[in-house]
Amino acid sequence: MRISSQQIFSGGVNRLQDLNTQLQKTQQQVSTGKRVINPSDDPVAAARILKLDQEKAQIDQFQRGIDLAQNRLQQEESTLADITDVIQRVRELTVQAGNGALSDSDRRSVASELRERLEQLGGLANTRDASGEYIFSGFKGSTEAFTKNVSGDWVYQGDEGQRKLEIDVGVSVAISDNGKGLFVDVASNNPTFFAEASSGNTSNPPATISSGMMLDQEVFNGVYPDDLIIEVDATAGTYTVTNRSTGADLTPTNNAYVSGESIQVAGIQFEITGAADGDKFMIKTADKQSMFGTIEKLIYGLENQPKTPAVATVNNFAPQAGDTLTVNGVSFTFDAGDTLSDLADAINASTDEALAGVRVDTANLPGSIAIESVNGDLEMDASGWAGDLTTDGAKFQDIDIAGGTLQPDSAASTRYASGQQTFDELIADSLANLDNAQESILTTQTQIGGRLNAVDSTREFLTDSSVYTEQIRSELRDVDYAEAISRLSFQSFVLEASQQSFARVSQLSLFDRL
């Protein structure tokens, strides 16, 4: 075989280049800390590293989601704690308002603070997160959760959505609760109502309807669960009341409309202000009441409900023999020719416990007497009365019997309102509804606690997974510095020796042998 000087030189150069390439690769591994820099370095390891990189990126994404979920849940938890504190203060004020020693001025002062607390609740219910979205608006994050309607009552504007966030593969956690489920759909102690003006009303400025209050739960229960429609004829100065479901006319005999004056119908009281011809208003009955509605009705009662005794005025009394009148469950039987004085004497002389606190004022005899009850409502039943009997002052329908015949728009059995009892019932219902509101919030707080626990456990799992993934990836990708530096030293030595050898060999020539 013939070997030329050119072949020897080329072979030496190629060998040096290979050694230099190996050295540079080792230097790059040492400087980057990575054993696998290019897929060609270790195709199998490179494929596994790519998969591990994808897993690590997914874990990082889930961890960012966990941080977001934790922040949202902690903010909601903190806000609900603040709302609970406000409701507790409202409850204290409600108990204070029920103190019989308070004057009308004192109750108005309590109502004034309640208004401030109501505004505070509105602000808390409209809390925003770090991105500016309302946390209690469901999916409608850009919409205020609660706003005031034309009548000044707080109403919910969001939807019933609940936002969820995936924090691991197949694992989602709710990061919000809508205000409807939290603050609106709160169980009511008794069937209740919400008054609102129709959006189609034409009055300008818009007509309003007050939040109102319950006067007679038993009468109202006779209408529930049907809604009522009130339509105003401002020109005639009247209004009509219609059962929305049955179409029945529930308009009372005295249906005069005066802007701002109280309307009493179906066991409730409210005021309509500034109505034009054809304006309509809705009384929506429900077995639930928002925490805002509870406080609004409480404020209304403190400002509008007088703590007066029940008074039944009897101004026509002509019994037939054997006629019986029942007062608070105690029956009195009369003879023909008995007078108002006989009725007054019979009631005042009774020692029955059911008539404790009931007395008869005879100052207006012989024209009339006034039966007063300071301990609660006064109930009278004249069923079967054959003579004449007329009363005034009932909550809704008075007794009006002539010759044994019940007259139109009257009742044989009726109730006379005690302002004190109505007020006491308002306080009792308000306390029960506030407790229900707190229970609703407590239930949600418990759920949030469970979600936070799930977030924490998932965070720990992802942290462990991240460490494990990083460890495996490091074993596949990262360089062993001790081995690499040792190899680098050896390769440097080999390259240097090769360079010296090549320098000497390259100086030789076949001509030297001639």
Side-chain angles (χ1 to χ4, degrees):
M1 171 185 273
R2 294 181 178 180
I3 301 176
S4 67
S5 297
Q6 180 64 34
Q7 287 178 311
I8 295 174
F9 185 83
S10 296
V13 169
N14 290 337
R15 175 59 178 165
L16 289 176
Q17 287 177 337
D18 290 341
L19 291 173
N20 189 59
T21 299
Q22 294 175 9
L23 179 63
Q24 288 179 345
K25 181 179 178 180
T26 303
Q27 286 176 331
Q28 189 177 15
Q29 288 177 339
V30 172
S31 63
T32 61
K34 296 180 179 179
R35 181 182 68 86
V36 180
I37 298 173
N38 300 308
S40 58
D41 295 338
D42 188 338
V44 175
R48 292 190 62 189
I49 290 171
L50 179 61
K51 183 175 177 60
L52 290 170
D53 285 342
Q54 293 172 342
E55 291 180 2
K56 185 63 169 59
Q58 186 179 48
I59 290 173
D60 291 343
Q61 181 180 357
F62 284 142
Q63 287 178 327
R64 289 192 295 271
I66 283 178
D67 290 339
L68 173 61
Q70 185 174 44
N71 291 338
R72 284 290 299 263
L73 291 172
Q74 287 178 342
Q75 182 182 23
E76 181 180 350
E77 186 178 45
S78 175
T79 302
L80 291 180
D82 292 340
I83 290 175
T84 299
D85 290 342
V86 176
I87 293 178
Q88 182 58 37
R89 176 55 184 164
V90 170
R91 197 182 190 285
E92 293 171 359
L93 290 170
T94 305
V95 173
Q96 179 182 342
N99 188 336
L102 294 186
S103 64
D104 291 343
S105 177
D106 294 333
R107 286 191 292 274
R108 284 193 293 270
S109 296
V110 172
S112 179
E113 182 175 346
L114 285 172
R115 287 190 183 279
E116 296 297 326
R117 298 299 180 180
L118 187 61
E119 293 296 321
Q120 187 178 1
L121 283 176
L124 289 170
N126 284 325
T127 297
R128 301 189 188 196
D129 62 14
S131 61
E133 293 195 334
Y134 295 94
I135 66 175
F136 296 119
S137 288
F139 294 138
K140 299 170 69 174
S142 60
T143 301
E144 277 190 288
F146 289 88
T147 61
K148 291 183 180 180
N149 62 17
V150 295
S151 299
D153 296 326
W154 288 93
V155 292
Y156 184 61
Q157 300 296 318
D159 58 28
E160 298 183 42
Q162 184 180 51
R163 299 190 180 195
K164 294 185 177 182
L165 189 64
E166 189 177 16
I167 58 174
D168 196 4
V169 178
V171 180
S172 296
V173 63
I175 61 171
S176 72
D177 295 278
N178 65 77
K180 186 175 187 297
L182 257 175
F183 310 127
V184 177
D185 292 340
V186 179
S188 178
N189 189 45
N190 286 299
T192 185
F193 68 96
F194 177 77
E196 66 178 3
S198 170
S199 59
N201 289 349
T202 59
S203 52
N204 188 20
T208 63
I209 182 170
S210 63
S211 56
M213 66 176 290
M214 190 70 62
L215 292 181
D216 192 318
Q217 189 69 55
E218 184 177 344
V219 172
F220 179 79
N221 290 348
V223 174
Y224 174 81
D226 295 340
D227 296 337
L228 305 180
I229 299 175
I230 295 92
E231 184 171 358
V232 174
D233 184 342
T235 302
T238 60
Y239 65 88
T240 58
V241 182
T242 306
N243 185 307
R244 187 182 184 185
S245 299
T246 66
D249 185 3
L250 302 180
T251 307
T253 302
N254 180 13
N255 66 331
Y257 168 69
V258 179
S259 178
E261 288 196 1
S262 295
I263 295 174
Q264 296 181 354
V265 64
I268 61 176
Q269 174 179 300
F270 53 88
E271 292 79 31
I272 294 175
T273 303
D277 283 342
D279 279 359
K280 294 182 179 180
F281 304 84
M282 183 75 69
I283 301 296
K284 294 183 176 180
T285 64
D287 60 355
K288 297 178 181 179
Q289 181 165 270
S290 74
M291 67 175 185
F292 295 100
T294 294
I295 300 173
E296 287 162 352
K297 282 182 168 51
L298 176 59
I299 293 172
Y300 178 93
L302 291 175
E303 295 178 339
N304 293 278
Q305 178 59 44
K307 299 174 68 173
T308 55
V311 179
T313 301
V314 183
N315 47 40
N316 185 10
F317 181 80
Q320 295 295 315
D323 279 350
T324 299
L325 179 65
T326 301
V327 180
N328 282 3
V330 181
S331 297
F332 300 93
T333 302
F334 301 94
D335 295 323
D338 282 348
T339 64
L340 286 171
S341 295
D342 297 317
L343 172 59
D345 290 342
I347 294 175
N348 284 336
S350 175
T351 59
D352 196 298
E353 286 295 327
L355 293 179
V358 177
R359 67 180 184 85
V360 181
D361 184 352
T362 59
N364 292 324
L365 281 174
S368 65
I369 60 173
I371 306 174
E372 295 184 0
S373 173
V374 297
N375 291 343
D377 286 356
L378 184 66
E379 296 182 2
M380 295 178 65
D381 186 356
S383 299
W385 191 268
D388 299 337
L389 179 62
T390 305
T391 68
D392 287 324
K395 281 186 175 181
F396 298 100
Q397 289 182 314
D398 284 298
I399 297 174
D400 188 1
I401 302 174
T405 301
L406 188 64
Q407 301 303 297
D409 197 34
S410 63
S413 177
T414 190
R415 181 180 298 179
Y416 301 84
S418 162
Q420 180 66 56
Q421 180 170 329
T422 300
F423 185 83
D424 291 344
E425 290 172 353
L426 170 67
I427 296 297
D429 276 348
S430 297
L431 289 173
N433 291 338
L434 289 171
D435 289 343
N436 290 341
Q438 287 183 312
E439 180 66 26
S440 174
I441 293 173
L442 179 60
T443 299
T444 302
Q445 286 176 312
T446 302
Q447 294 172 351
I448 291 174
R451 296 174 205 164
L452 284 170
N453 289 337
V455 167
D456 288 339
S457 61
T458 303
R459 183 195 297 279
E460 292 177 1
F461 171 76
L462 289 177
T463 299
D464 292 342
S465 297
S466 179
V467 171
Y468 176 75
T469 301
E470 187 64 40
Q471 180 181 350
I472 299 299
R473 186 175 65 175
S474 176
E475 292 175 356
L476 291 172
R477 185 186 63 185
D478 293 349
V479 70
D480 182 344
Y481 278 101
E483 184 275 333
I485 292 174
S486 176
R487 177 161 34 92
L488 179 64
S489 298
F490 176 73
Q491 289 173 339
S492 298
F493 170 75
V494 171
L495 177 60
E496 184 178 353
S498 297
Q499 287 173 336
Q500 292 175 356
S501 174
F502 177 73
R504 292 190 178 189
V505 170
S506 63
Q507 292 176 358
L508 299 177
S509 170
L510 292 177
F511 292 102
D512 294 336
R513 301 296 179 184
L514 296 178

